[in-house]
Structures are given as C-alpha cells and as structure tokens.
Amino acid sequence: MNGKKKKTSISIVEKKAVLAAVFVLGFFSSCVSLKTPKRADLVPLQAPMTMGKYPVNVSRTIETGSYKGKIISTVVWYYFKNSKDIDSLEIAQATHIELKLSDKKHLTAILYKGNAPLKTGVLKGHLKKGYFRARHDLSLRGVPPFFWSVSSAKMQFGIGKKGQLYIDSANETNGSILIMVAGTPGFTQSLTIPVYEK
C-alpha cells in the first residue's frame, strides 16, 4: 500500500514538473531578439545630448507580400509615449518631436507645436553598442499553467551621420491553454526617420 502512495506522489510531482517545463519554455521563447541592421553611419550616443528634431508622422511604402507598394502613415510619437491616455488632439496640432538623452538611463521626448511644448514622454533604458535601448517590456497575463500569455517588446534608438533617427523594434506573444502552447512568430522592424524641417 505504501508503494502505491509513493507511486502516486511521484506521478503528481512528474506532472507538475512537465507543466512547469512547458511554462518556462513558453515564457523564455517570448524573449524575442532585437535584430540590428548593420549601419556604417551610426553616431554613438553619449549622455547628456540633444539627439535632434523629428516629424510627428512619416509616410512609408511597404515592399513585402500582398501589401507591396502600399503607403502607410506611421505616428513616430507612439514610439516615445509612456502613458495610456489619448493624445490624438495634441498629435493633430503638433509640428515636431525633440529628443534628448537626459542621462545614460533616460530618453526624453517632447511633442511641440511650433515653440510650445504640448507633451513630454520619458523612456527608461540604457546605452548599448551606440544605441539607447528602451527597457524590455515583458508582461504575463492569466494563470499558469492553465491559461496564460506572455508578450515581449524591445526597442532601440540610434542616430545617423545626417541626423536621421533609427528605430528598431521587436515584438512577440506566446501562450498556453493547459498543455497546448502557441505563439506568434514575432516580428522585427526598422524605421529611418528624417530630420524635421520647417
């Protein structure tokens, strides 16, 4: 009888170990890597410094898949926004964004209408290989191991010799319902934002 109890307790421990392994595998697979394009014109960032002034919106053309040739508008401000409040009114009025590296751990973005500041956002991060890498956002939702999802997002900013702004970002989501694990393949993108001209 003692043997049966021992076997049952080992079986429960093994099941917990398998579920924990599935969770850990899904969790760490969400740590998407940030692929940085090779840039010969990168100007290494040093704090403190003013990085430059940039447009609030840019139009870009998609050159992949069925969307090839499609022009889309990208709101540059959203990369620097650190609050969930709606700021569409400010964006509609804004003329440009000014970026300042306050110190080695803070990047300040100021939304302007002419010479008047409308809004300020501050990103936390660190300097790495000439870029300012924003803090890695990793969020867990649900109750492991039953139902959960993990989202991972990374961003970095750099400056070129002509003052252009480089934005590299990577996003991925993985999750599980009981023992079924699924996730997005993740995506990375790089944008080049020209200097703001009046």
Side-chain angles (χ1 to χ4, degrees):
M1 189 164 178
N2 288 341
K4 284 185 180 178
K5 283 185 179 177
K6 191 174 182 182
K7 190 174 182 182
T8 304
S9 65
I10 290 172
S11 174
I12 291 169
V13 170
E14 287 175 349
K15 285 180 183 177
K16 286 183 179 178
V18 168
L19 289 173
V22 168
F23 171 70
V24 169
L25 178 65
F27 184 80
F28 284 108
S29 66
S30 287
C31 295
V32 62
S33 63
L34 187 58
K35 296 173 184 175
T36 304
K38 291 182 180 178
R39 296 182 173 118
D41 66 339
L42 184 70
V43 176
L45 298 177
Q46 295 179 352
M49 71 178 288
T50 298
M51 294 170 64
K53 295 179 181 179
Y54 302 93
V56 179
N57 299 286
V58 290
S59 294
R60 56 194 181 100
T61 306
I62 298 176
E63 295 297 343
T64 57
S66 60
Y67 296 101
K68 193 170 184 178
K70 183 178 180 180
I71 297 173
I72 62 168
S73 179
T74 300
V75 181
V76 180
W77 171 251
Y78 289 154
Y79 287 95
F80 305 100
K81 184 177 166 142
N82 58 358
S83 63
K84 293 182 179 179
D85 59 319
I86 298 170
D87 48 13
S88 53
L89 182 63
E90 288 90 347
I91 290 171
Q93 299 177 53
T95 54
H96 65 282
I97 302 166
E98 184 175 40
L99 299 180
K100 294 180 179 180
L101 196 56
S102 312
D103 54 47
K104 292 181 179 180
K105 295 185 177 181
H106 297 90
L107 174 61
T108 302
I110 306 167
L111 191 65
Y112 277 93
K113 178 184 179 182
N115 294 324
L118 299 173
K119 232 170 192 184
T120 301
V122 179
L123 292 180
K124 293 181 180 178
H126 60 279
L127 295 176
K128 184 175 181 179
K129 297 181 180 178
Y131 293 89
F132 180 83
R133 181 163 288 191
R135 186 175 61 191
H136 179 199
D137 288 331
L138 191 63
S139 61
L140 171 65
R141 293 181 181 177
V143 182
F146 306 106
F147 171 77
W148 56 272
S149 67
V150 179
S151 296
S152 175
K154 296 179 180 178
M155 272 193 307
Q156 70 180 14
F157 307 95
I159 300 293
K161 288 181 179 175
K162 294 181 180 178
Q164 69 272 32
L165 173 67
Y166 295 124
I167 302 176
D168 303 315
S169 61
N171 294 275
E172 186 176 45
T173 301
N174 288 307
S176 169
I177 299 176
L178 295 179
I179 59 169
M180 296 172 58
V181 179
T184 63
F187 71 91
T188 60
Q189 70 173 357
S190 294
L191 300 175
T192 301
I193 312 299
V195 174
Y196 168 72
E197 294 178 7
K198 291 182 181 180

